[in-house]
Amino acid sequence: EVAVFPPALYLQQVVGLVAGRPVLVGAQDLSPFAEGAYTGDIAGGMIKDAGARMVLVGHSERRHGHGESDARH
């Protein structure tokens, strides 16, 4: 399987570009909240509405750059 994870701004565009091809499209990150106004975060429902079917969670680049870890808040 092949999957691509474009920046959120381009999710719908990439979904359209790969339509009919064996390519999965996913988001690069996901809000920990199901809904609500969290500036800069993207809720799972919004990602789904854009046509993405996967999310890349816990990528080492994001964990390092944003100081994220497995610790619970």
Side-chain angles (χ1 to χ4, degrees):
E1 290 184 312
V2 174
V4 294
F5 297 85
L9 180 63
Y10 304 113
L11 279 175
Q12 281 185 306
Q13 182 179 359
V14 172
V15 166
L17 289 170
V18 302
R21 295 185 173 97
V23 178
L24 300 169
V25 179
Q28 292 181 358
D29 196 29
L30 161 82
S31 173
F33 305 100
E35 57 185 52
Y38 298 96
T39 303
D41 282 357
I42 301 173
M46 295 170 73
I47 292 168
K48 183 178 178 183
D49 288 348
R53 297 292 175 251
M54 306 173 76
V55 177
L56 182 61
V57 177
H59 189 281
S60 60
E61 181 180 285
R62 178 157 179 97
R63 290 169 62 93
H64 175 47
H66 293 276
E68 296 174 349
S69 72
D70 291 338
R72 295 188 181 256
H73 301 280

